[in-house]
Amino acid sequence: MSVDVEDYYQVSAFAKSVATNEWEQHESRVVANTHRLLELFSKKNIKATFFVLGWVAEREPQLVKEIHSQGHEVASHGFSHQLIYNQTQEVFRNETIKSKSLLEDLIGEEVLGYRAASYSITKRNLWALDILQEAGFTYDSSIFPIRHDRYGIADAKTTPHELTTPNGGKLIEFPLTTRRLGKFNIPVAGGGYFRLYPYFLTRHFLKSVNKKQDEQFVFYLHPWEVDPQQPRIEASWFSKFRHYNNLEKCESRLSQLMDDFKFSTMKSVLTDMNLIK
Ligand SMILES: [Zn+2]
């Protein structure tokens, strides 16, 4: 179970409507929404991995400490939520190191995992994997083995594995879960797809990943996805659809999902698979 801790105005779908330097002007709802998820996880007795955006961690240090003190895994969602392939290697390196040490100072423990903003590690910026490995990350969970307008490596390996970065370093990759249908990988890992598909379909796909493909799956969600009352942002029809579709159904579906499957942190699943020693 994983959560990408960011606020509703920071998502890539709204990047054209809300500039980074306007983030401060929006009502912050990330703490309340993360608390909602923490309560739900506690009720269901589930531990999760929280990939926290550095920008949020800097402003809400207490939230990071709370996540950690409740026994969840704290991991990194980068610092600025810019798409990595739009950044220079130098900017990416600096903010990656900065966000990792920011989290580590808050929790007093090593941060092992990383997830890129909008899964923005694609074939054109595999150098990001070198930088993650050099920065000391143990695992990455940013590669989506699908075709999509913003992200994805359609022919990437779909199961957790150790990969060799372009510079020859070793990094564990936990790709976002897909279900093979004919020639295509169907995204079934959470977020917008979880809100789009009827719940029985998500359950069917995830059960079949568990059973037929004999695999663990990764599920992801954002705190703003359990907040149907969030302030509305003006954007293109498609961006609004992606962001607002079925928000009001998300929390009850999530509750159902947690009854239907067993969940744990990314670190503990990868340890069970002997990928992390
Ligand atoms: Zn994100």
Side-chain angles (χ1 to χ4, degrees):
M1 172 63 71
S2 69
V3 179
D4 295 353
V5 181
E6 66 198 29
D7 226 330
Y8 61 97
Y9 50 80
Q10 296 174 316
V11 302
S12 302
F14 291 154
K16 280 192 189 125
S17 309
V18 186
T20 310
N21 60 9
E22 293 166 1
W23 282 359
E24 301 269 15
Q25 297 163 21
H26 290 265
E27 179 198 346
S28 171
R29 295 171 77 92
V30 68
V31 173
N33 292 336
T34 305
H35 281 161
R36 236 164 133 158
L37 289 175
L38 285 170
E39 268 165 43
L40 199 55
F41 293 161
S42 149
K43 224 191 290 173
K44 305 281 183 182
N45 208 12
I46 277 171
K47 299 296 180 218
T49 297
F50 288 74
F51 293 93
V52 184
L53 192 66
W55 194 93
V56 171
E58 209 170 50
R59 282 156 185 82
E60 307 291 353
Q62 203 49 42
L63 182 65
V64 180
K65 291 181 181 179
E66 265 175 75
I67 293 168
H68 181 247
S69 71
Q70 291 187 28
H72 300 288
E73 179 187 6
V74 171
S76 173
H77 194 33
F79 191 85
S80 64
H81 215 269
Q82 302 306 300
L83 301 169
I84 299 173
Y85 48 73
N86 290 342
Q87 294 185 303
T88 65
Q89 298 193 22
E90 169 140 24
V91 167
F92 177 66
R93 180 179 290 109
N94 289 341
E95 69 165 45
T96 299
I97 293 169
K98 175 177 160 187
S99 54
K100 186 173 191 281
S101 62
L102 175 67
L103 294 172
E104 289 175 341
D105 288 348
L106 287 171
I107 64 171
E109 231 174 69
E110 198 190 347
V111 164
L112 304 183
Y114 180 86
R115 177 169 293 149
S118 287
Y119 318 104
S120 55
I121 298 181
T122 65
K123 274 193 178 154
R124 56 181 155 142
N125 64 328
L126 291 173
W127 47 258
L129 298 171
D130 288 327
I131 292 173
L132 292 176
Q133 192 266 334
E134 286 158 18
F137 284 101
T138 302
Y139 74 89
D140 170 64
S141 180
S142 306
I143 294 180
F144 223 136
I146 57 165
R147 274 175 224 289
H148 185 278
D149 56 349
R150 211 162 36 224
Y151 51 75
I153 300 179
D155 57 354
K157 193 166 175 188
T158 57
T159 52
H161 59 283
E162 185 182 71
L163 60 73
T164 304
T165 69
N167 277 353
K170 298 285 180 200
L171 192 66
I172 307 301
E173 177 63 36
F174 200 141
L176 282 305
T177 300
T178 54
R179 172 78 176 99
R180 191 83 183 163
L181 273 188
K183 276 183 172 174
F184 299 100
N185 291 331
I186 307 295
V188 295
Y193 307 108
F194 182 59
R195 287 181 286 117
L196 179 66
Y197 308 150
Y199 178 69
F200 73 86
L201 195 59
T202 294
R203 190 174 63 180
H204 167 78
F205 282 144
L206 293 177
K207 289 246 181 229
S208 69
V209 169
N210 268 173
K211 280 192 186 141
K212 287 193 193 126
Q213 296 180 199
D214 195 22
E215 288 161 16
Q216 318 263 24
F217 64 82
V218 58
F219 186 82
Y220 71 88
L221 207 74
H222 306 86
W224 52 262
E225 289 183 283
V226 292
D227 181 14
Q229 268 84 47
Q230 65 191 267
R232 289 319 195 240
I233 285 172
E234 214 27 70
S236 71
W237 175 87
F238 192 48
S239 292
K240 284 196 287 189
F241 174 76
R242 276 180 170 168
H243 190 89
Y244 297 123
N245 179 46
N246 284 339
L247 280 181
E248 67 291 347
K249 292 183 183 153
C250 192
E251 189 167 345
S252 61
R253 280 185 186 174
L254 178 62
S255 176
Q256 185 63 50
L257 182 86
M258 291 191 287
D259 291 338
D260 290 342
F261 295 91
K262 277 195 275 182
F263 289 99
S264 186
T265 64
M266 309 273 298
K267 178 184 174 185
S268 110
V269 170
L270 289 168
T271 304
D272 287 349
M273 296 176 81
N274 282 323
L275 284 165
I276 294 182
K277 270 113 206 149

